[in-house]
Amino acid sequence: METIKNQTVPIVRGDGVGPEVTASMMQVLDAAVEKAYAGSRSIRWMEVPAGGTAYEKFGTYLPEETIAAFRQYHIGIKGPLMTPVGGGIRSLNVALRQGLDLYVCLRPVRWFKGVASPVKHPEKVDMVVFRENTEDIYSGIEWESGSPEAARFYDFLSKEMGVNKVRFPETSAFGVKPVSKEGTERLVRAACRYALDHGRKTVTLVHKGNIMKFTEGGFKKWGYELAEREFGEEIASGRLTVNDCICDAFLQNALLYPERYSVVATMNLNGDYISDMLAAQVGGIGMAPGANINYTTGDAIFEATHGTAPDIAGKDLVNPSSNILSGVMLLEHIGWNEAAALVVKALEESFGEGCATVDLARLMEGGKPMGTKEFTSNICRRIYGTT
């Protein structure tokens, strides 16, 4: 496969603290690429609009040109985006994921030495979460309590489907979540392939199939069937183990025995809970990178996983690590592993010495608090070897 020399990357700066964490990420990645390849490779950043700033300028939160750029270049990265209030798009993130069919939300979680944690052994947390990104509650259908639609839905349930266990039908809201065999299979397939490619021997299917027999139970059933059908040889040889865990038990076990889990495949809502809980164990969501990937087309959008934090926007306080680490995932996605490794090494050195933004440094023993810009420059110096 021919090595890419110059990679165009559409980039959304984001809202709130988005422009700050995006600028930091760009500066760090540019330094790593220059150091690793001595000018023979480069990233061409192509800014595209989305979010509040796009609405102010174009009257839409997600211009078609932005979607078109992601489709054309099959890659992109973004800062946090505001969620529009009132009508229109329910969530810009969901709109991007569904519009481009980015069916995997990939969330690797690891601890950096020196970062404060609420658990005794955060070094035992080393998991990669495959969260289904297009079904379940992301495709959920709801009817508001007291609405004519809710009344019609209950009328259908009771008269056509024989459902009689809704306790308070007149004041109940209703929701439906789709979980498909096809959606399950492509997620579990991607998780199994990732495990094999990265030397991770276990894939755990996390679900609530003991209660929701045909949606979450279906996820478990279809996941096992796919694994046996397509990865039977690897399972038989011991290269891969596929097991499952009820989601509430998993949340407990991930605190008590995190070393038991490596790759986790789960549905949308469970994945939301799991990925944030795991991030808390290694220092918080500010340390959690993320990607949205279609492993069939290769399309991928990387992102900071935290919110817009408007209360600290523009104050040089935000921790850019989530977006920087998402940039590392981008570099790995295009095969620029040498540059990715330089960024990780610089972060490890910095956190190990207590050099971090205020949110992390204030909890570190002997922490050295830095503003966003100072922290960014510190990481770049470490990449260049001038610290």
Side-chain angles (χ1 to χ4, degrees):
M1 182 177 178
E2 185 179 352
T3 302
I4 300 169
K5 299 297 184 183
N6 298 289
Q7 176 69 59
T8 297
V9 178
I11 185 166
V12 174
R13 291 187 179 269
D15 300 311
V17 296
E20 294 169 88
V21 299
T22 298
S24 174
M25 178 275 303
M26 293 166 66
Q27 187 176 338
V28 168
L29 262 61
D30 283 340
V33 170
E34 182 181 4
K35 177 66 174 178
Y37 308 115
S40 65
R41 302 182 195 179
S42 65
I43 296 175
R44 173 180 170 261
W45 302 106
M46 175 185 174
E47 186 167 355
V48 292
T53 54
Y55 187 81
E56 291 174 6
K57 189 173 182 179
F58 303 105
T60 176
Y61 289 101
L62 189 59
E64 182 53 41
E65 68 182 83
T66 299
I67 296 287
F70 288 140
R71 285 200 178 104
Q72 179 180 353
Y73 295 102
H74 305 289
I75 199 168
I77 190 166
K78 67 182 187 64
L81 293 172
M82 63 174 289
T83 298
V85 177
I89 298 174
R90 180 187 296 181
S91 163
L92 291 171
N93 292 329
V94 175
L96 281 169
R97 293 164 183 171
Q98 292 188 329
L100 295 167
D101 197 26
L102 305 175
Y103 59 85
V104 170
C105 180
L106 186 66
R107 293 282 294 271
V109 186
R110 59 152 292 187
W111 179 68
F112 285 85
K113 185 177 180 180
V115 175
S117 167
V119 298
K120 289 183 178 180
H121 294 288
E123 72 279 1
K124 293 182 179 181
V125 180
D126 183 12
M127 301 184 212
V128 181
V129 178
F130 278 70
R131 173 191 178 196
E132 205 291 319
N133 220 11
T134 62
E135 297 190 321
D136 194 19
I137 63 166
Y138 268 10
S139 292
I141 307 159
E142 291 187 297
W143 295 279
E144 186 178 5
S145 170
S147 68
E149 293 80 8
R152 287 175 61 192
F153 183 68
Y154 177 70
D155 189 60
F156 169 76
L157 289 179
S158 60
K159 294 180 180 178
E160 301 294 330
M161 303 298 290
V163 174
N164 57 12
K165 59 182 180 181
V166 179
R167 292 200 172 194
F168 308 105
E170 292 183 0
T171 60
S172 289
F174 296 94
V176 174
K177 66 172 193 178
V179 177
S180 72
K181 181 178 181 180
E182 294 88 345
T184 297
E185 287 184 342
R186 64 182 186 173
L187 179 86
V188 175
R189 178 182 297 115
C192 290
R193 286 178 177 166
Y194 182 96
L196 290 166
D197 289 344
H198 292 81
R200 291 174 174 265
K201 292 187 175 181
T202 304
V203 174
T204 302
L205 309 176
V206 179
H207 60 91
K208 190 65 176 173
N210 59 326
I211 301 298
M212 289 175 275
K213 309 287 187 182
F214 304 121
T215 50
E216 309 227 357
F219 176 86
K220 171 190 171 183
K221 174 179 178 288
W222 298 322
Y224 270 126
E225 290 174 349
L226 180 282
E228 186 60 40
R229 185 171 69 248
E230 297 190 11
F231 300 95
E233 183 177 330
E234 292 83 355
I235 292 170
S237 69
R239 290 181 58 208
L240 179 67
T241 297
V242 177
N243 56 30
D244 74 280
C245 188
I246 301 296
C247 59
D248 45 325
F250 176 84
L251 291 171
Q252 172 182 254
N253 293 346
L255 283 168
L256 296 174
Y257 321 106
E259 67 276 11
R260 294 182 181 179
Y261 302 103
S262 182
V263 175
V264 176
T266 189
M267 287 164 293
N268 186 269
L269 182 58
N270 294 334
D272 202 3
Y273 298 151
I274 289 167
S275 54
D276 281 13
M277 184 274 287
L278 293 175
Q281 291 181 246
V282 299
I285 200 168
M287 296 297 297
N292 305 286
I293 302 174
N294 183 316
Y295 280 91
T296 305
T297 64
D299 291 349
I301 298 179
F302 302 84
E303 63 184 354
T305 59
H306 54 74
T308 58
D311 55 319
I312 61 170
K315 297 181 180 179
D316 196 38
L317 292 173
V318 64
N319 177 3
S321 298
S322 173
N323 218 23
I324 291 172
L325 287 167
S326 296
V328 169
M329 296 176 70
L330 185 153
L331 292 173
E332 292 171 339
H333 184 75
I334 62 175
W336 294 11
N337 297 315
E338 299 86 356
L342 285 175
V343 179
V344 172
K345 182 174 181 290
L347 289 169
E348 288 174 338
E349 290 176 354
S350 185
F351 294 137
E353 295 174 13
C355 299
T357 47
V358 176
D359 60 315
L360 299 179
R362 64 188 173 85
L363 300 174
M364 293 175 166
E365 185 175 347
K368 304 166 188 174
M370 295 178 165
T372 309
K373 294 177 182 177
E374 183 184 3
F375 176 74
T376 303
S377 297
N378 156 63
I379 297 301
C380 290
R381 285 195 301 271
R382 294 175 187 275
I383 288 171
Y384 285 121
T386 57
T387 296

